[in-house]
mmCIF file of all heavy atoms in Angstrom:
data_model
loop_
_atom_site.group_PDB
_atom_site.id
_atom_site.type_symbol
_atom_site.label_atom_id
_atom_site.label_comp_id
_atom_site.label_asym_id
_atom_site.label_seq_id
_atom_site.Cartn_x
_atom_site.Cartn_y
_atom_site.Cartn_z
ATOM 1 N N ILE A 1 4.281 0.772 -21.361
ATOM 2 C CA ILE A 1 2.984 0.447 -21.995
ATOM 3 C C ILE A 1 1.964 1.261 -21.213
ATOM 4 O O ILE A 1 1.925 1.311 -20.005
ATOM 5 C CB ILE A 1 2.714 -1.038 -21.907
ATOM 6 C CG1 ILE A 1 1.405 -1.364 -22.660
ATOM 7 C CG2 ILE A 1 2.682 -1.577 -20.461
ATOM 8 C CD1 ILE A 1 1.231 -2.835 -22.865
ATOM 9 N N ARG A 2 0.977 1.823 -21.930
ATOM 10 C CA ARG A 2 -0.154 2.637 -21.359
ATOM 11 C C ARG A 2 -1.375 1.726 -21.596
ATOM 12 O O ARG A 2 -1.718 1.444 -22.711
ATOM 13 C CB ARG A 2 -0.296 3.976 -22.026
ATOM 14 C CG ARG A 2 -1.348 4.740 -21.419
ATOM 15 C CD ARG A 2 -1.637 6.035 -22.209
ATOM 16 N NE ARG A 2 -2.469 7.025 -21.566
ATOM 17 C CZ ARG A 2 -3.744 6.994 -21.383
ATOM 18 N NH1 ARG A 2 -4.418 5.863 -21.815
ATOM 19 N NH2 ARG A 2 -4.436 7.849 -20.695
ATOM 20 N N THR A 3 -1.976 1.383 -20.457
ATOM 21 C CA THR A 3 -3.312 0.713 -20.498
ATOM 22 C C THR A 3 -4.262 1.489 -19.730
ATOM 23 O O THR A 3 -4.098 1.770 -18.506
ATOM 24 C CB THR A 3 -3.117 -0.690 -19.862
ATOM 25 O OG1 THR A 3 -2.697 -0.580 -18.536
ATOM 26 C CG2 THR A 3 -2.154 -1.491 -20.675
ATOM 27 N N ASP A 4 -5.353 1.840 -20.354
ATOM 28 C CA ASP A 4 -6.408 2.603 -19.807
ATOM 29 C C ASP A 4 -5.863 3.946 -19.196
ATOM 30 O O ASP A 4 -5.477 4.821 -19.943
ATOM 31 C CB ASP A 4 -7.099 1.827 -18.757
ATOM 32 C CG ASP A 4 -7.813 0.586 -19.310
ATOM 33 O OD1 ASP A 4 -8.202 0.755 -20.497
ATOM 34 O OD2 ASP A 4 -7.974 -0.384 -18.681
ATOM 35 N N GLN A 5 -5.731 4.065 -17.842
ATOM 36 C CA GLN A 5 -5.369 5.331 -17.250
ATOM 37 C C GLN A 5 -4.060 5.195 -16.459
ATOM 38 O O GLN A 5 -3.866 5.858 -15.490
ATOM 39 C CB GLN A 5 -6.475 5.838 -16.299
ATOM 40 C CG GLN A 5 -7.748 6.246 -17.004
ATOM 41 C CD GLN A 5 -7.494 7.273 -18.032
ATOM 42 O OE1 GLN A 5 -6.731 8.257 -17.835
ATOM 43 N NE2 GLN A 5 -8.177 7.175 -19.161
ATOM 44 N N SER A 6 -3.209 4.319 -16.834
ATOM 45 C CA SER A 6 -1.896 4.150 -16.139
ATOM 46 C C SER A 6 -0.712 3.817 -17.119
ATOM 47 O O SER A 6 -0.874 3.428 -18.252
ATOM 48 C CB SER A 6 -2.002 2.946 -15.192
ATOM 49 O OG SER A 6 -2.159 1.750 -15.867
ATOM 50 N N LEU A 7 0.466 4.103 -16.568
ATOM 51 C CA LEU A 7 1.650 3.868 -17.369
ATOM 52 C C LEU A 7 2.480 2.941 -16.608
ATOM 53 O O LEU A 7 2.578 3.028 -15.309
ATOM 54 C CB LEU A 7 2.459 5.137 -17.625
ATOM 55 C CG LEU A 7 1.899 6.145 -18.684
ATOM 56 C CD1 LEU A 7 2.704 7.352 -18.604
ATOM 57 C CD2 LEU A 7 2.056 5.487 -20.014
ATOM 58 N N SER A 8 3.094 1.870 -17.176
ATOM 59 C CA SER A 8 3.922 1.004 -16.437
ATOM 60 C C SER A 8 5.089 0.558 -17.288
ATOM 61 O O SER A 8 5.025 0.559 -18.526
ATOM 62 C CB SER A 8 3.060 -0.230 -16.054
ATOM 63 O OG SER A 8 2.568 -0.914 -17.229
ATOM 64 N N VAL A 9 6.282 0.371 -16.630
ATOM 65 C CA VAL A 9 7.432 -0.033 -17.330
ATOM 66 C C VAL A 9 7.517 -1.567 -17.231
ATOM 67 O O VAL A 9 7.340 -2.168 -16.120
ATOM 68 C CB VAL A 9 8.687 0.517 -16.686
ATOM 69 C CG1 VAL A 9 10.012 0.022 -17.341
ATOM 70 C CG2 VAL A 9 8.654 2.034 -16.724
ATOM 71 N N ILE A 10 7.672 -2.288 -18.316
ATOM 72 C CA ILE A 10 7.681 -3.756 -18.250
ATOM 73 C C ILE A 10 8.983 -4.205 -18.953
ATOM 74 O O ILE A 10 9.567 -3.464 -19.612
ATOM 75 C CB ILE A 10 6.494 -4.361 -19.119
ATOM 76 C CG1 ILE A 10 6.601 -3.925 -20.549
ATOM 77 C CG2 ILE A 10 5.194 -3.862 -18.499
ATOM 78 C CD1 ILE A 10 5.546 -4.606 -21.327
ATOM 79 N N ARG A 11 9.316 -5.466 -18.619
ATOM 80 C CA ARG A 11 10.515 -6.063 -19.265
ATOM 81 C C ARG A 11 10.072 -6.859 -20.484
ATOM 82 O O ARG A 11 9.030 -7.447 -20.533
ATOM 83 C CB ARG A 11 11.183 -6.971 -18.234
ATOM 84 C CG ARG A 11 11.846 -6.212 -17.100
ATOM 85 C CD ARG A 11 12.596 -7.106 -16.196
ATOM 86 N NE ARG A 11 13.284 -6.424 -15.089
ATOM 87 C CZ ARG A 11 13.985 -6.973 -14.138
ATOM 88 N NH1 ARG A 11 14.170 -8.269 -14.206
ATOM 89 N NH2 ARG A 11 14.521 -6.252 -13.160
ATOM 90 N N GLY A 12 11.002 -6.863 -21.449
ATOM 91 C CA GLY A 12 10.721 -7.657 -22.633
ATOM 92 C C GLY A 12 9.835 -6.935 -23.592
ATOM 93 O O GLY A 12 9.585 -5.750 -23.469
ATOM 94 N N LEU A 13 9.289 -7.594 -24.534
ATOM 95 C CA LEU A 13 8.437 -6.950 -25.565
ATOM 96 C C LEU A 13 6.995 -7.516 -25.325
ATOM 97 O O LEU A 13 6.718 -8.535 -25.078
ATOM 98 C CB LEU A 13 8.805 -7.408 -27.025
ATOM 99 C CG LEU A 13 10.227 -6.963 -27.379
ATOM 100 C CD1 LEU A 13 10.612 -7.485 -28.716
ATOM 101 C CD2 LEU A 13 10.307 -5.427 -27.364
ATOM 102 N N PRO A 14 5.989 -6.544 -25.326
ATOM 103 C CA PRO A 14 4.707 -6.891 -24.941
ATOM 104 C C PRO A 14 3.897 -7.473 -26.186
ATOM 105 O O PRO A 14 4.344 -7.335 -27.340
ATOM 106 C CB PRO A 14 4.046 -5.483 -24.588
ATOM 107 C CG PRO A 14 4.812 -4.579 -25.518
ATOM 108 C CD PRO A 14 6.216 -5.110 -25.620
ATOM 109 N N GLN A 15 2.834 -8.065 -25.789
ATOM 110 C CA GLN A 15 1.808 -8.487 -26.778
ATOM 111 C C GLN A 15 0.756 -7.493 -26.916
ATOM 112 O O GLN A 15 0.096 -7.187 -25.902
ATOM 113 C CB GLN A 15 1.296 -9.846 -26.374
ATOM 114 C CG GLN A 15 2.374 -11.047 -26.393
ATOM 115 C CD GLN A 15 2.790 -11.428 -27.781
ATOM 116 O OE1 GLN A 15 2.149 -11.028 -28.845
ATOM 117 N NE2 GLN A 15 3.914 -12.187 -27.817
ATOM 118 N N LEU A 16 0.514 -6.932 -28.133
ATOM 119 C CA LEU A 16 -0.500 -5.933 -28.286
ATOM 120 C C LEU A 16 -1.852 -6.584 -28.647
ATOM 121 O O LEU A 16 -2.326 -6.673 -29.740
ATOM 122 C CB LEU A 16 -0.111 -5.008 -29.376
ATOM 123 C CG LEU A 16 1.172 -4.207 -29.212
ATOM 124 C CD1 LEU A 16 1.464 -3.351 -30.377
ATOM 125 C CD2 LEU A 16 1.078 -3.389 -27.926
ATOM 126 N N GLU A 17 -2.512 -7.008 -27.527
ATOM 127 C CA GLU A 17 -3.774 -7.706 -27.714
ATOM 128 C C GLU A 17 -4.939 -6.687 -27.447
ATOM 129 O O GLU A 17 -6.000 -6.805 -28.118
ATOM 130 C CB GLU A 17 -3.908 -8.783 -26.680
ATOM 131 C CG GLU A 17 -2.873 -9.901 -26.923
ATOM 132 C CD GLU A 17 -2.911 -11.033 -25.823
ATOM 133 O OE1 GLU A 17 -3.730 -10.852 -24.893
ATOM 134 O OE2 GLU A 17 -2.202 -11.972 -25.924
ATOM 135 N N ASN A 18 -4.783 -5.693 -26.559
ATOM 136 C CA ASN A 18 -5.764 -4.686 -26.330
ATOM 137 C C ASN A 18 -5.546 -3.530 -27.267
ATOM 138 O O ASN A 18 -4.468 -2.992 -27.259
ATOM 139 C CB ASN A 18 -5.676 -4.286 -24.827
ATOM 140 C CG ASN A 18 -6.885 -3.365 -24.511
ATOM 141 O OD1 ASN A 18 -7.602 -2.834 -25.383
ATOM 142 N ND2 ASN A 18 -7.056 -3.166 -23.190
ATOM 143 N N HIS A 19 -6.593 -3.201 -27.999
ATOM 144 C CA HIS A 19 -6.504 -2.113 -28.926
ATOM 145 C C HIS A 19 -6.318 -0.781 -28.287
ATOM 146 O O HIS A 19 -6.056 0.232 -29.005
ATOM 147 C CB HIS A 19 -7.638 -2.139 -29.947
ATOM 148 C CG HIS A 19 -7.697 -3.339 -30.811
ATOM 149 N ND1 HIS A 19 -6.758 -3.518 -31.893
ATOM 150 C CD2 HIS A 19 -8.514 -4.456 -30.846
ATOM 151 C CE1 HIS A 19 -7.027 -4.682 -32.471
ATOM 152 N NE2 HIS A 19 -8.047 -5.203 -31.886
ATOM 153 N N ASN A 20 -6.632 -0.727 -26.978
ATOM 154 C CA ASN A 20 -6.474 0.650 -26.276
ATOM 155 C C ASN A 20 -5.038 0.779 -25.750
ATOM 156 O O ASN A 20 -4.738 1.790 -25.207
ATOM 157 C CB ASN A 20 -7.395 0.646 -25.081
ATOM 158 C CG ASN A 20 -8.883 0.608 -25.576
ATOM 159 O OD1 ASN A 20 -9.212 1.294 -26.624
ATOM 160 N ND2 ASN A 20 -9.810 0.055 -24.862
ATOM 161 N N ASP A 21 -4.223 -0.272 -25.870
ATOM 162 C CA ASP A 21 -2.869 -0.164 -25.389
ATOM 163 C C ASP A 21 -2.031 0.723 -26.320
ATOM 164 O O ASP A 21 -2.178 0.744 -27.519
ATOM 165 C CB ASP A 21 -2.218 -1.489 -25.289
ATOM 166 C CG ASP A 21 -2.806 -2.409 -24.231
ATOM 167 O OD1 ASP A 21 -3.575 -1.850 -23.461
ATOM 168 O OD2 ASP A 21 -2.483 -3.615 -24.241
ATOM 169 N N VAL A 22 -1.145 1.539 -25.679
ATOM 170 C CA VAL A 22 -0.195 2.351 -26.399
ATOM 171 C C VAL A 22 1.202 1.918 -25.803
ATOM 172 O O VAL A 22 1.400 2.050 -24.556
ATOM 173 C CB VAL A 22 -0.452 3.849 -26.173
ATOM 174 C CG1 VAL A 22 0.639 4.622 -26.868
ATOM 175 C CG2 VAL A 22 -1.774 4.279 -26.731
ATOM 176 N N VAL A 23 2.140 1.576 -26.728
ATOM 177 C CA VAL A 23 3.434 1.140 -26.226
ATOM 178 C C VAL A 23 4.463 2.075 -26.778
ATOM 179 O O VAL A 23 4.470 2.517 -27.946
ATOM 180 C CB VAL A 23 3.698 -0.322 -26.803
ATOM 181 C CG1 VAL A 23 5.115 -0.703 -26.501
ATOM 182 C CG2 VAL A 23 2.720 -1.255 -26.160
ATOM 183 N N TRP A 24 5.352 2.386 -25.856
ATOM 184 C CA TRP A 24 6.558 3.199 -26.263
ATOM 185 C C TRP A 24 7.801 2.434 -25.999
ATOM 186 O O TRP A 24 8.051 1.814 -24.944
ATOM 187 C CB TRP A 24 6.572 4.451 -25.365
ATOM 188 C CG TRP A 24 7.933 5.184 -25.442
ATOM 189 C CD1 TRP A 24 8.886 5.206 -26.460
ATOM 190 C CD2 TRP A 24 8.493 5.936 -24.330
ATOM 191 N NE1 TRP A 24 9.960 5.924 -26.098
ATOM 192 C CE2 TRP A 24 9.747 6.399 -24.886
ATOM 193 C CE3 TRP A 24 8.142 6.240 -23.050
ATOM 194 C CZ2 TRP A 24 10.649 7.180 -24.049
ATOM 195 C CZ3 TRP A 24 8.967 7.082 -22.346
ATOM 196 C CH2 TRP A 24 10.207 7.517 -22.803
ATOM 197 N N LEU A 25 8.627 2.183 -27.093
ATOM 198 C CA LEU A 25 9.819 1.324 -26.998
ATOM 199 C C LEU A 25 10.994 2.250 -27.177
ATOM 200 O O LEU A 25 11.035 3.051 -28.215
ATOM 201 C CB LEU A 25 9.842 0.297 -28.082
ATOM 202 C CG LEU A 25 8.708 -0.785 -28.135
ATOM 203 C CD1 LEU A 25 8.834 -1.648 -29.310
ATOM 204 C CD2 LEU A 25 8.835 -1.601 -26.821
ATOM 205 N N GLU A 26 11.927 2.250 -26.307
ATOM 206 C CA GLU A 26 13.205 3.023 -26.502
ATOM 207 C C GLU A 26 14.283 1.934 -26.714
ATOM 208 O O GLU A 26 14.574 1.101 -25.817
ATOM 209 C CB GLU A 26 13.530 3.804 -25.168
ATOM 210 C CG GLU A 26 14.761 4.661 -25.443
ATOM 211 C CD GLU A 26 14.991 5.555 -24.296
ATOM 212 O OE1 GLU A 26 14.345 5.495 -23.277
ATOM 213 O OE2 GLU A 26 15.964 6.407 -24.318
#
């Protein structure tokens, strides 16, 4: 998930609440 100016790997499926978030699912 990309939030603002960072990339982070998270577990599970995210909630897309922030419209600036960009999510990449493999």
